[in-house]
Every structure is written in structure tokens, then in C-alpha cells.
Amino acid sequence: GGLGDAALFRALGALVDELPGVGGGDPVLLPRRDVATVDAILLREAPRADDAGTLGLVDRLQRAGVHFVMDAATLQTAPEPLRSGGVPIVPCADLQTHQPAPSGRLAVTVDGSESDAQLDALAAKAADVDVVMLEVAPGLSRLHASRRLFAFLKGCGSELSVVHQVRVSEGTAKDELALYLGMQAGALLGDGLGDGLIVEPYQAGDFDLNYLRETSFALLQGSRMRNTKTEFVSCP
């Protein structure tokens, strides 16, 4: 909250185009994706149906190619344009009973506790899945649970995209975020295991949108996954 439209779009890494307002009114700001623009935004709750300002922002971001991912049950009752354009999140265990969403898209969560049969079902539905969100359950080793999933996907020849979902532990300071993300997902991304990163800070965390985006992209660039800025190398 508190960000204007242009500041929000820029914090998400988007370019901003300004169009003349209708009838001489306020100009309309439209986001445009760039190499350093976020691909998706994770929403834990939907905006109110009468919140026209927020829903208008959602609509403009969706038109620019930024996806909104939400729990499938929450998405079913969300107002437009989220209901028809949002990406539902479905646990791997519930994949067999999931009904397709209006957007035709699907994100599946995997936490490392899945049985071989559940992973087989995931591989069988790979054509219907846009992305796998890997958030390892508490009590399990992130390293071992993650490598098990990637070994399974490689063994069955699956090309499913997997993003590491990291919830920042409460109490993590702003200047510790890069180290924390590196510890959680850096080694795996450095080995080429994974296609992206979702960072979810704790509610009271002092992390602004732009800082989260830049820190996340810095980790991806350091892992040689996605280049978003120029690197200068000094040679002796």
C-alpha cells in the first residue's frame, strides 16, 4: 500500500507507458514487460469486489503478461478479472480431482512429502501444468527433497518448469535476505536445478517490492539462470 500506479509498476520491474486520458482526464498508465519484470505475483487473498482501484491495477498487469497465482479455492470466489485470468495453485495430492480454471493455466505445489504415485500423476498431467512451485515442508531437508523431485523429473523425461518457493523466516533482517535466499535455493539453482524463484516475506518484514525483486533477480543472475543487468568483470 501507499505506492502510486507508476511507482508500483516500476517496483515490479515494468516499463511505464503514459496514454492520454479520456476526455482530457488523468493520463492512463500502462505497464510494459521488460527483461527485469516479475513473471508472476503470489496473492494469499483476493481484493474486495468493490476495490475498483486494485482490480484495475490487476487488469493492467495481466494485460502486460504478469500472472497472478492464488490458491484454487480462493480464486473461485475472487472478483474479475482475477477469477477468469488468475492461475490456480493446487497441491500435488489434489491434482487428480482438480477442475480446469477459466484461464486454462495451472500451478502445482510440491512439498517433498509426495509419494511416488503422486509424482507419477504429476508427470502424467505435465501437459496441463504451467509450473511446479517447490516449497519444502517443515521438517524435511530442502536439499534432499528438492533433488528427489528433480531426479524424478529427469528420470521420466519431464520438462516441467520448477520454481523454488522460499518463505523468509521471521526475524530475517533486510541485509540478510540475499544470504538467506542463497542458503535456501542458491546451491540448487547453481546446479541448474530450477527455473525461477518465488520469495514470500513474513508479514512484518521490512522488505519493499523493488528490493525483493532486485535481490531475487541477483540470485538468478549469479546462478546464470537469467541476466537482468550488466556485469563488469575486472581482470588483473
Side-chain angles (χ1 to χ4, degrees):
L3 288 178
D5 292 7
L8 173 62
F9 295 151
R10 292 191 177 101
L12 295 172
L15 303 175
V16 180
D17 295 327
E18 183 175 313
L19 302 182
V22 178
D26 293 335
V28 178
L29 303 179
L30 296 179
R32 179 160 46 91
R33 287 199 56 178
D34 188 37
V35 65
T37 306
V38 300
D39 297 306
I41 298 173
L42 174 65
L43 292 182
R44 287 300 180 187
E45 58 184 41
R48 301 190 314 272
D50 61 355
D51 190 349
T54 298
L55 294 175
L57 287 171
V58 169
D59 181 57
R60 281 179 279 169
L61 285 166
Q62 285 186 156
R63 291 176 184 274
V66 176
H67 301 289
F68 287 83
V69 291
M70 303 176 63
D71 178 75
T74 304
L75 184 60
Q76 288 178 352
T77 59
E80 295 293 353
L82 279 172
R83 187 186 305 134
S84 60
V87 181
I89 303 172
V90 177
C92 184
D94 299 337
L95 189 56
Q96 297 283 40
T97 58
H98 170 69
Q99 298 299 316
S103 66
R105 296 185 175 277
L106 178 61
V108 177
T109 55
V110 172
D111 67 6
S113 66
E114 291 77 17
S115 65
D116 289 343
Q118 289 171 335
L119 292 180
D120 286 336
L122 173 63
K125 283 187 165 286
D128 301 323
V129 178
D130 292 280
V131 65
V132 174
M133 297 167 58
L134 176 58
E135 182 183 13
V136 177
L140 295 180
S141 164
R142 172 175 285 275
L143 181 65
H144 291 91
S146 299
R147 290 192 180 277
R148 174 186 175 235
L149 172 64
F150 287 111
F152 171 84
L153 295 176
K154 182 178 180 180
C156 64
S158 175
E159 296 184 355
L160 275 170
S161 294
V162 179
V163 297
H164 296 277
Q165 183 174 352
V166 179
R167 296 198 191 207
V168 181
S169 297
E170 187 168 355
T172 302
K174 187 173 182 178
D175 59 358
E176 296 174 338
L177 180 62
L179 178 60
Y180 183 86
L181 296 180
M183 291 172 59
Q184 295 296 312
L188 293 162
L189 289 169
D191 286 345
L193 301 178
D195 301 282
L197 185 69
I198 294 178
V199 181
E200 187 174 1
Y202 60 95
Q203 191 168 7
D206 181 26
F207 307 110
D208 58 79
L209 280 175
N210 191 57
Y211 184 78
L212 287 171
R213 178 183 63 84
E214 289 184 344
T215 304
S216 301
F217 276 131
L219 178 60
L220 293 179
Q221 181 152 336
S223 304
R224 297 297 180 260
M225 301 293 297
R226 182 169 174 177
N227 291 334
T228 55
K229 59 184 178 182
T230 303
E231 288 188 340
F232 296 91
V233 179
S234 177
C235 298

